[in-house]
Structure formats: C-alpha cells, structure tokens
Amino acid sequence: RVFGADDIKSALHPVGHAVNGVWRPGIYFGNEALQGLGNSEADQRSSEQALRLLVERLDELLLYIEPDAHGLAAYSHKTRELLILACTELENSWNYYMSLANAAPTNGNTFTTKDYVKLLKPLFLSEFEITMKPYSAVPTMRPFDGWDPNSPTKSLNWYDAYNKTKHDRTTHFAEAKLSNCLTAVVANLIMFCVRFSPYPLLDAPGTLAPLINQLFSIQLCKPNPQTFYVPQIQLQSNIAESLICHNAKEFVKPWIRLPLEVQ
C-alpha cells in the first residue's frame, strides 16, 4: 500500500526473534547486536584482538609480497606461520558454534570437517563475499562457497593446504602460498561477522575498523531476504502508530533468541 511492494513473502522467523549467535540483516545497533546474538563485550573484544593479530600480520606480509599473479603463489615460513595461525583460530570459531548448538562429534571425541561442514547452511557462510580494495589482481573471495559434505576437507582447498603444510612441511611447503593465507584470514573475517555482525569491522572506534576498511570490502552475495530479522518496535504512547521516520534505536525491544540447530 505504501511502498508498492508485490510478491510479499513471510520471514522465516517471527518479528523480534533471532537465532542465537547468527547475525542476519535486521540487527544493527551495537548493544542490540550483543544482546540479540548472545554475546558480551568481553567476547567481542577478545575476538577483535585475535582478528586484529591476523590482519596485522597479513598487512605486514603485503609489505614484502605484492599480491599479483606471481606474488599470490609465493610462499615462505612467514606465510606458513600465518596460514596455520588463521586456520587454528578458525577451528576455534567452529568449535564455539558446535558447542552453542550442543552438537556432538560424529566420530570419537574430536570435531572434524565432517562436523564443521554442518555449519555452512545455518550460518549462511557461503553468502559472504569479500574483495581486497587496494589489489585488483586478488580475485573476489568466497571461502566457504562449494563446501561439500562429501569432501569436507578437500572442498576447502585453502584449508586442505593448511592441513598438508602443517603436518608435512617438507613435502607441502608450497601449499602455504599467499593466496591461501588471504583466504584463511578472510574466512576469519566471515566468522566474526556471523557472530558479532559486520558493523564493528566497518565503523567502530579503535584501530581494527580502519585497518579492515583499508584492505577489505564485505558484502552478501544473493542472500535470501526471508532469512533476515525483523526488529520489534515498542513505540511510546505519544507517538502516532502510522508511517514515521525516526531513529528506532531507542524503540527496539530486546530480541528473543532462538536456539541454533546444526544437523
């Protein structure tokens, strides 16, 4: 009636509800994101520190290796170090979500990629698309696109490279090439966005956001709007319940968190 919308579809979640730990568009403000996604300021600060360490090490590498067609294939002990550090941090994030969903390992007592691949759909990992602003030779990265439950390690070639060079550097040293380092760091950016929203990386005070903005551009590729969240607004009694334009921050009711399900 007002906006001329057609082909209207219902959201997958009720108004005012969000899946615990999983950001979708609709959650914006800082404190709202912490409450709606079930995090604390300490959680976010710790994750920001870990991510800043990775991005700063990457930025330092880029002082010595130009990420053009030749440089992306370059490898060294420093690139191997960063690849291992980034993938170890990534496994920490994956373990957090398996614990959040009360999931159990498929075999034995340790989670593997056979378990972690189950996070692909509920966390919308394949939607995230990241480009490196200053380097046109670096292709757009979607680290989790094509993650296959039938081949959960090898279908992530950068993660497979980490496994190979970690366990057998002599044979697989070249797997620690710069392109794999880039993708592994970007995968950590995505996991941060899922847990805390992208906004702390885009416009928050401090040193991390300027560094992220200098290097990266983050967007969603063909997301399903039905998965977005719709905040519930509680207007004051003296405000007309008609179409209004207003800063809604003070009117957003606390989110009701739905449990994360991993199947």
Side-chain angles (χ1 to χ4, degrees), residues 124-137:
F124 305 94
L125 297 178
S126 62
E127 286 185 4
F128 286 86
E129 183 176 274
I130 297 181
T131 56
M132 294 197 73
K133 293 179 180 178
Y135 304 107
S136 59

Side-chain angles (χ1 to χ4, degrees), residues 53-113:
L53 176 64
L54 295 177
V55 177
E56 285 180 344
R57 289 197 176 191
L58 174 61
D59 193 41
E60 183 179 4
L61 269 178
L62 296 177
L63 293 175
Y64 301 96
I65 306 175
E66 184 67 18
D68 57 16
H70 301 288
L72 288 172
Y75 61 93
S76 69
H77 289 283
K78 280 295 184 180
T79 58
R80 179 174 180 267
E81 178 185 63
L82 178 56
L83 180 60
I84 292 174
L85 182 61
C87 288
T88 301
E89 183 61 30
L90 186 66
E91 291 169 341
N92 181 73
S93 296
W94 286 343
N95 281 320
Y96 166 79
Y97 276 103
M98 301 307 288
S99 176
L100 190 65
N102 294 315
T106 303
N107 297 310
N109 299 318
T110 304
F111 290 113
T112 68
T113 52

Side-chain angles (χ1 to χ4, degrees), residues 159-261:
Y159 185 81
D160 188 39
Y162 145 73
N163 270 320
K164 290 177 178 177
T165 195
K166 179 180 72 170
H167 295 294
D168 187 357
R169 176 180 57 81
T170 302
T171 304
H172 299 292
F173 196 13
E175 296 287 348
K177 56 187 178 181
L178 180 61
S179 61
N180 287 330
C181 291
L182 290 173
T183 310
V185 171
V186 163
N188 280 276
L189 284 180
I190 291 171
M191 296 305 300
F192 183 96
C193 291
V194 171
R195 184 173 176 184
F196 299 102
S197 89
Y199 303 116
L201 303 181
L202 301 177
D203 56 12
T207 59
L208 179 59
L211 183 57
I212 296 295
N213 277 298
Q214 173 188 328
L215 291 174
F216 302 106
S217 174
I218 306 170
Q219 64 180 12
L220 298 180
C221 179
K222 298 180 180 178
N224 178 4
Q226 289 182 270
T227 66
F228 294 179
Y229 300 147
V230 182
Q232 186 170 10
I233 304 299
Q234 181 67 57
L235 295 178
Q236 297 175 356
S237 59
N238 62 342
I239 297 179
E241 294 185 1
S242 57
L243 185 65
I244 60 173
C245 180
H246 198 281
N247 178 6
K249 181 177 181 180
E250 59 188 287
F251 300 141
V252 176
K253 295 184 68 175
W255 291 85
I256 299 172
R257 293 197 296 271
L258 300 170
L260 172 64
E261 297 180 358

